[in-house]
Amino acid sequence: MSLLELSNVTAGYGQTPVLFDISMKVEKGDLACLLGRNGVGKTTLLRSIIGLNALSKGSMVFDADDISKTPTYKRAKYGIAYIPQGREIIPYLSVLDNLKLGLAASGRKSKKVPDEIFEFFPMLKEHLSRQGGLLSGGQQQQLAIARGLMCNPKLMLLDEPTEGIQPSIVQEIEETLKRINKEKGITVLVVEQKIDFARQLAEKFFIMDKGAIVARGETKALTDSMVNQYLAV
Ligand SMILES: Nc1ncnc2c1ncn2[C@@H]1O[C@H](COP(=O)(O)OP(=O)(O)OP(=O)(O)O)[C@@H](O)[C@H]1O
């Protein structure tokens, strides 16, 4: 059964539609990427899934519940974590307090950061009392992913997690996302511009163009002609 199913979704900003009639399914356990040139609507699609952009048409089902009108904070409690572009770490809060924001979003009672977070991100343990804003870009991205993981999500949505990050950390992020997917069974949907990273990371792909999904399938079937047609700048 699909974990997330969008049917004929239209959404945008105010009266301006950006997404047109999007239907897509993300299956439980998928590690999928969402590709497309700048401005085609990838971020808007993630924002619609987490509820930051209302649907003007269509519906959305998550784990058998219709969430089309569910507010964002409840979608987080249902098990959708969103790691936005730019990470949105609170710069003056410590790493520990940034992590705890993830607990607050999940509605969990426990106030403790589970040890497994540090198994995935050992670096964070060494910087717990440091202000989030003093971490490097790559470390902040790892903190943002860890904060998302604190909600114990079923689905993680990530918006360009490798943007502006040095190659060695990009590789670490790739490995960590694969582990999160395989070891914890968390379904992952990543918006990505770097085609090589997407090919290495994801098993499935969706390509967007002008607010619509124009191609989808197994990543091994993503051909160079599709890349040239929809992704080359
Ligand atoms: N807050 C906003 N208000 C109005 N229009 C917006 C807003 N944010 C984005 N848009 C418009 O929506 C369209 C899609 O933008 P979106 O950010 O979803 O694309 P994207 O594929 O994620 O692009 P990028 O790769 O550059 O992040 C663009 O035309 C953009 O100008």
Side-chain angles (χ1 to χ4, degrees), residues 7-218:
S7 305
N8 309 105
V9 162
T10 297
Y13 299 89
Q15 298 300 310
T16 314
V18 169
L19 307 178
F20 301 95
D21 206 28
I22 290 201
S23 295
M24 65 188 280
K25 287 181 184 177
V26 179
E27 308 296 334
K28 274 189 183 148
D30 273 357
L31 177 43
C33 60
L34 179 61
L35 305 165
R37 292 191 182 97
N38 285 120
V40 295
K42 304 177 300 294
T43 296
T44 308
L45 181 55
L46 293 195
R47 286 175 54 89
S48 300
I49 295 171
I50 193 68
L52 293 169
N53 286 69
L55 310 190
S56 50
K57 275 192 214 140
S59 64
M60 212 176 275
V61 172
F62 178 71
D63 210 14
D65 287 317
D66 188 324
I67 58 161
S68 311
K69 296 199 165 77
T70 305
T72 299
Y73 77 93
K74 279 199 184 155
R75 293 188 203 201
K77 285 188 182 154
Y78 276 166
I80 307 179
Y82 174 49
I83 294 102
Q85 200 168 11
R87 304 142 203 156
E88 295 185 10
I89 293 303
I90 312 291
Y92 51 83
L93 287 186
S94 68
V95 166
L96 182 61
D97 286 341
N98 268 287
L99 283 173
K100 284 184 174 172
L101 289 176
L103 283 177
S106 73
R108 272 189 189 177
K109 292 245 159 51
S110 162
K111 295 268 184 290
K112 193 175 171 297
V113 177
D115 287 342
E116 68 164 10
I117 296 290
F118 302 119
E119 284 165 28
F120 285 110
F121 302 97
M123 170 278 299
L124 293 179
K125 203 166 188 172
E126 294 157 28
H127 295 289
L128 279 178
S129 55
R130 225 166 161 215
Q131 285 190 343
L134 297 179
L135 299 183
S136 71
Q139 289 171 328
Q140 287 189 24
Q141 185 61 62
Q142 294 180 76
L143 174 55
I145 299 171
R147 185 179 58 188
L149 206 53
M150 295 282 287
C151 306
N152 206 13
K154 294 175 185 154
L155 172 65
M156 278 187 122
L157 307 170
L158 299 104
D159 199 346
E160 295 199 35
T162 66
E163 195 187 23
I165 288 174
Q166 65 182 70
S168 65
I169 308 284
V170 168
Q171 198 175 345
E172 249 179 69
I173 288 173
E174 179 196 320
E175 279 158 23
T176 307
L177 289 176
K178 282 181 174 165
R179 279 187 63 202
I180 287 171
N181 174 253
K182 295 285 168 287
E183 293 173 25
K184 290 191 61 70
I186 295 174
T187 306
V188 177
L189 179 62
V190 185
V191 163
E192 195 43 68
Q193 292 273 359
K194 296 191 184 82
I195 185 71
D196 291 342
F197 174 79
R199 274 193 159 123
Q200 260 168 260
L201 173 76
E203 291 145 8
K204 292 189 183 172
F205 73 93
F206 298 91
I207 299 180
M208 284 186 78
D209 194 25
K210 297 181 191 136
I213 303 278
V214 290
R216 68 189 84 204
E218 306 265 325

